[in-house]
Amino acid sequence: MPISPPIPPQSIWTVADLEQLPADGNRYEILFGELLVTPMPVLWHQRVAARLTAMIGRWCEANPGWEFFAPGGVFISETSWLEPDVAVYSVPGGKQASHWRELHAPALVIEILSPSTRNTDRHRKRPAYIAHGVAQVWLVDIDAKSLERWTRNQSFRSCTTQALHGRQVTRHHSSRSTLPRCSTECCRARATSPSLTGDLR
């Protein structure tokens, strides 16, 4: 992999600045003008992302009016652009957007927690998603084999942490959100057989 030149420091980053950065395998995001740099994910992270992508893809195919991207893109403002591991969007009237800026807030974003991103994903990006109008935020914790589900209607998790290993998945009562059926399906062990996380290490 070619070595990218050092990124020059600056006080406020914008989406225009972000578009000038090299495609070097890192994930570049900005949040309130601050540049966030995430290195290329490790293999276990990518395996979980692939399983989630396949599962969400099947749901979108079975339910017209939805589309997903992995990684997704969430344009909040000229100084805030985030890339969740997976994002699901509604497609009103079947009319697909031609640019990220045209997309409404996603109905669902999923972040797979890594040691280097755990604090940012949970304490900085999650509140930003919710404030932007994202209906549901899922935080997948591989070490704990669990999923945290957050909604814009509550300040705390709307359900207890759900085990994602094997067939032990805690049922939850989903509120009437924009993605109730998808939420329920993705929390079932059957949909992730043999398991969502599996033996990834």
Side-chain angles (χ1 to χ4, degrees):
M1 179 183 300
I3 299 177
S4 301
I7 299 174
Q10 60 186 69
S11 56
I12 300 295
W13 284 82
T14 67
V15 173
D17 297 323
L18 207 61
E19 293 172 345
Q20 302 303 314
L21 293 178
D24 56 4
N26 292 321
R27 180 177 297 183
Y28 294 105
E29 305 168 279
I30 51 174
L31 183 58
F32 305 121
E34 178 184 348
L35 179 65
L36 307 178
V37 183
T38 304
M40 180 178 292
V42 296
L43 288 179
W44 63 261
H45 179 284
Q46 295 298 76
R47 291 184 183 119
V48 174
R51 294 186 183 189
L52 279 167
T53 299
M55 182 171 55
I56 294 291
R58 289 194 298 269
W59 186 88
C60 287
E61 288 180 1
N63 295 271
W66 299 91
E67 65 179 345
F68 76 100
F69 298 100
V74 181
F75 175 79
I76 298 176
S77 70
E78 293 297 334
T79 57
S80 291
W81 161 267
L82 299 175
E83 284 192 23
D85 291 302
V86 184
V88 181
Y89 306 82
S90 65
V91 186
K95 184 179 180 181
Q96 295 180 321
S98 58
H99 194 278
W100 290 107
R101 296 169 187 261
E102 300 174 7
L103 290 169
H104 298 290
L108 168 68
V109 300
I110 304 175
E111 293 282 6
I112 303 168
L113 305 183
S114 300
S116 61
T117 66
R118 181 182 304 272
N119 287 336
T120 298
D121 289 343
R122 177 175 279 127
H123 301 298
R124 300 190 64 191
K125 293 177 68 176
R126 177 188 57 79
Y129 289 137
I130 296 296
H132 180 54
V134 175
Q136 295 189 39
V137 178
W138 293 0
L139 302 180
V140 179
D141 191 329
I142 304 305
D143 291 330
K145 295 184 174 64
S146 66
L147 181 150
E148 297 175 12
R149 176 176 171 269
W150 300 78
T151 71
R152 60 187 175 189
N153 297 322
Q154 298 186 11
S155 300
F156 301 95
R157 288 183 309 214
S158 60
C159 63
T160 58
T161 300
Q162 303 172 53
L164 295 181
H165 184 68
R167 294 182 177 275
Q168 296 179 350
V169 178
T170 303
R171 294 183 179 178
H172 67 277
H173 298 285
S174 177
S175 58
R176 290 184 176 273
S177 60
T178 27
L179 223 70
R181 288 177 296 174
C182 184
S183 169
T184 304
E185 176 181 341
C186 292
C187 290
R188 287 187 187 137
R190 293 177 188 173
T192 60
S193 180
S195 68
L196 180 62
T197 56
D199 186 10
L200 302 177
R201 307 282 178 98

